Amino acid sequence: MSRGGNCSLLSIKRSRSSHLQFSVRQLLASCCHSTSEVKQKNESKSLVQFLRDKKIVPDSKPPNMIDLNRLYQFFDRSRKLMVLTGAGLSTESGIPDYRSPNGAYSSGFKPITHQEFVRSSRARRRYWARSYAGWRRFIAAQPSQGHISLATLEKAGRVNFMITQNVDRLHHRAGSEPLELHGTVYTVVCLNCAISVDRNSFQDQVKALNPKWASAIERLEHGAPGSDKNFGMQQRPDGDIEIDEKFWEQDFIIPDCHQCGGMLKPDVVFFGDNVPKDTADKAMEAAKSSDAFLVLGSSLMTMSAFRLVRAAYEAKADVAIVNIGETRADDFVPLKINARVGEILPRLLQMGCLSIPCIS
């Protein structure tokens, strides 16, 4: 958090006392109007423009004042707001999505299923080799302005509960602690004894078992997220890289669980698998008890996410969606805004009683 710059407090536009008004201490504590912040924002704008040019971020017009005011009023009415985020938030960090017009599905890509991973040793070799190769680039992604703005709203008490469908932990790096509906690639779990292993430790194990292979992979040029420099191959939403089978078909060894010798799998919910019951129950309880439910960057095509929105709506919560393109809930959600999360949330933070400095 930057504390050295001058912090100008924007005037509160209402005279009435409300839950939205923040104390001077809170505002000063979150002030970040520094040179480094301006530089970071400029770099972020350059990255987003690059990602638009490469069509990783779908095309969308900038949010207009009508949409901004509608979203502001949505926040103003809420007392117990729940937020659900999806892949559309991380595209602005250079991580592709699946379902947008230029997403992974548009090229015919099919993600691995749980059943395929468990049954096929060839599928596991393919998955782990590609995932190992893409890891260094995947973790180089930085939180977008959308992630940072959400962390600001959360710290200011404007977000009561957050859930993410994303497995990239960019929310955590921005300062949030969301419930991870579909798990995370930062942890590897044994399917037999359920022990978990840190992903970086797993990467080291793969390298130790496949030293020549790993050395060859690491000598290949890696670019930053969103760039074309990664063996000329395309990065996928879960961090893996599409590479030729000669890199993994023969003599590639996958580490086994050090405790029981069982099969190791990324701690994510693959297609065809179910969200763990305790996670699903916690998410559903939060959705039903919220008075407002905001979807950011998700088409809600997975039932695990869609059922939460529907439950909140049926419980009479105020529901809104910010997403580029159609969603599964468009026919019943009263407020739908077609915009980039990283464009609309920073502008929202400067409006009325929500005008608070960002937290970095």
Side-chain angles (χ1 to χ4, degrees), residues 164-169 172 179-187 266-269 275-276 279:
T164 185
Q165 296 173 259
N166 301 335
V167 299
D168 52 41
R169 293 244 159 127
H172 296 74
L179 178 67
E180 294 171 308
L181 191 64
H182 296 156
T184 176
V185 291
Y186 276 76
T187 305
D267 194 14
V268 300
V269 179
V275 174
T279 300

Side-chain angles (χ1 to χ4, degrees), residues 138-143 148 168-176 186:
F138 187 71
I139 63 176
Q142 298 298 314
I148 294 169
D168 52 41
R169 293 244 159 127
L170 288 174
H171 280 300
H172 296 74
R173 292 169 62 188
S176 298
Y186 276 76

Side-chain angles (χ1 to χ4, degrees), residues 95-325:
I95 298 176
D97 62 1
Y98 284 112
R99 293 181 171 87
S100 68
N102 295 288
Y105 286 160
S106 68
S107 63
F109 172 73
K110 293 183 179 180
I112 193 168
T113 66
H114 179 81
Q115 294 77 10
E116 183 184 9
F117 184 92
V118 171
R119 295 171 184 169
S120 169
S121 61
R122 186 176 188 273
R124 289 195 296 277
R125 288 200 307 274
R126 177 176 180 268
Y127 176 86
W128 279 124
R130 289 158 47 116
S131 189
Y132 178 95
W135 183 246
R136 182 165 51 166
R137 183 184 180 190
F138 187 71
I139 63 176
Q142 298 298 314
S144 68
Q145 288 301 308
H147 294 103
I148 294 169
S149 297
L150 268 178
T152 301
L153 288 163
E154 192 175 28
K155 287 179 171 64
R158 297 302 302 122
V159 176
N160 183 64
F161 195 87
M162 191 188 304
I163 295 179
T164 185
Q165 296 173 259
N166 301 335
V167 299
D168 52 41
R169 293 244 159 127
L170 288 174
H171 280 300
H172 296 74
R173 292 169 62 188
S176 298
E177 290 289 339
L179 178 67
E180 294 171 308
L181 191 64
H182 296 156
T184 176
V185 291
Y186 276 76
T187 305
V188 177
V189 65
C190 176
L191 294 181
N192 183 49
C193 71
I195 192 173
S196 62
V197 179
D198 177 75
R199 177 58 185 270
N200 288 318
S201 174
F202 179 84
Q203 292 285 113
D204 292 340
Q205 293 177 50
V206 172
K207 185 174 183 178
L209 290 171
N210 305 275
K212 292 182 179 179
W213 177 89
S215 178
I217 289 293
E218 290 170 5
R219 282 198 303 269
L220 295 170
E221 187 171 19
H222 283 235
S227 78
D228 296 323
K229 296 179 179 178
N230 212 314
F231 352 152
M233 303 297 180
Q234 188 171 1
Q235 186 177 21
R236 298 305 184 187
D238 293 334
D240 55 333
I241 299 288
E242 185 163 326
I243 58 177
D244 191 273
E245 66 181 53
K246 67 183 179 181
F247 284 102
W248 54 264
E249 174 59 24
Q250 296 179 349
D251 302 324
F252 177 73
I253 304 172
I254 304 172
D256 293 324
C257 175
H258 66 85
Q259 180 165 293
C260 72
M263 184 187 300
L264 294 176
K265 172 185 171 292
D267 194 14
V268 300
V269 179
F270 280 156
F271 287 83
D273 198 4
N274 296 316
V275 174
K277 187 177 185 304
D278 58 340
T279 300
D281 289 347
K282 190 173 183 179
M284 183 58 71
E285 180 181 355
K288 289 181 177 180
S289 63
S290 65
D291 71 350
F293 193 108
L294 176 62
V295 178
L296 297 173
S298 175
S299 61
L300 302 173
M301 292 303 172
T302 62
M303 181 55 70
S304 57
F306 175 72
R307 64 164 59 101
L308 297 176
V309 182
R310 186 173 59 189
Y313 177 78
E314 291 175 351
K316 308 303 181 184
D318 203 2
V319 182
I321 297 174
V322 178
N323 185 64
I324 301 174

Side-chain angles (χ1 to χ4, degrees), residues 67-81:
D67 286 338
L68 276 166
N69 285 325
R70 294 170 74 197
L71 188 59
Y72 172 82
Q73 293 298 326
F74 174 83
F75 269 88
D76 192 20
R77 292 190 299 268
S78 71
R79 298 296 186 275
K80 199 174 181 181
L81 172 64

